[in-house]
Amino acid sequence: MCRLLGRARAEAGQTDDAIDAYRTAVTLDDQDAWTFNNLGVLDIGQGLAEDAVGALARAADLKPDVATFHNNLGMALEQTGYFESAQDQYRMAVQADSTYQKAAANLQRIDGWKDKAGLPPLDLPGLEQKFLEQVIKRSKQCGPGSAPRPAATALERLAMLEPVKIASQFRPARCSAFTATRWNGDSSP
């Protein structure tokens, strides 16, 4: 549920709140590859490609058959100067989905950089583990008993939010069927 809140906040242009929601989501469920991917993509968008690598490596590790995860990880690696590792990720993306044009274009572009100096290959499993340790540490810093909790707890907390506040987070064009009056319990159209 926190992943959905993160997505809603991202759609509403509230990037910092979206990142917070995704960080909460990964402490609640460290097996949700899409949450790690979405967090990494937002980090890249904020110019934090170095921070994105750990989250994106986790997504690609959890779901190695999803081309998007490898492509996004490749983009983060490329932006941090790990061209050889980026090339490997783009290649894995194309292997996972040969019709994925973004990955094919990225691979073709970076293949032309053979003579461009870059950093040596990166220890992605080690970086992924470090990222997970930081997530767990951050969740423990929130206070006693704040270690990762079942997803039902997050759902219960989200259900307690005021419906008008939730509805106001969405752009009217995207949620025209759900107006604030309906969220208030008014059954009129």
Side-chain angles (χ1 to χ4, degrees):
M1 190 54 87
C2 286
R3 173 169 43 117
L4 297 177
L5 180 60
R7 184 172 178 156
R9 296 271 167 90
E11 291 284 327
Q14 300 169 348
T15 306
D16 291 338
D17 291 337
I19 289 172
D20 289 343
Y22 285 131
R23 288 196 185 280
T24 299
V26 298
T27 64
L28 297 171
D29 181 2
D30 68 353
Q31 300 298 306
D32 185 352
W34 282 102
T35 298
F36 285 102
N37 178 73
N38 295 352
L39 174 60
V41 169
L42 284 177
D43 282 341
I44 289 173
Q46 294 293 304
L48 304 170
E50 197 168 296
D51 292 349
V53 172
L56 293 168
R58 178 68 176 161
D61 184 51
L62 288 170
K63 299 273 187 175
D65 57 328
V66 178
T68 300
F69 298 162
H70 292 289
N71 185 66
N72 291 342
L73 177 55
M75 290 178 5
L77 290 165
E78 183 179 337
Q79 289 180 23
T80 55
Y82 291 96
F83 303 127
E84 190 174 330
S85 294
Q87 184 180 39
D88 291 343
Q89 292 302 314
Y90 293 144
R91 190 170 287 113
M92 285 190 249
V94 170
Q95 288 171 350
D97 181 357
S98 62
T99 65
Y100 191 30
Q101 293 301 311
K102 286 181 182 179
N106 288 337
L107 179 59
Q108 184 178 11
R109 185 190 69 251
I110 205 166
D111 273 345
W113 294 1
K114 298 257 186 233
D115 58 342
K116 188 170 184 175
L119 298 170
L122 196 59
D123 173 25
L124 290 176
L127 192 60
E128 175 189 338
Q129 183 61 38
K130 182 179 175 184
F131 174 78
L132 288 174
E133 289 168 3
Q134 289 173 344
V135 166
I136 291 168
K137 181 180 176 183
R138 192 177 356 223
S139 70
K140 288 180 180 178
Q141 289 174 344
C142 295
S146 63
R149 293 168 285 213
T153 305
L155 180 59
E156 290 167 2
R157 284 185 283 150
L158 187 59
M160 292 187 309
L161 293 175
E162 293 178 46
V164 174
K165 285 186 180 177
I166 294 171
S168 69
Q169 301 301 314
F170 295 97
R171 288 181 264 176
R174 295 221 179 227
C175 296
S176 59
F178 297 100
T179 63
T181 56
R182 283 198 181 154
W183 283 104
N184 281 323
D186 183 356
S187 60
S188 62

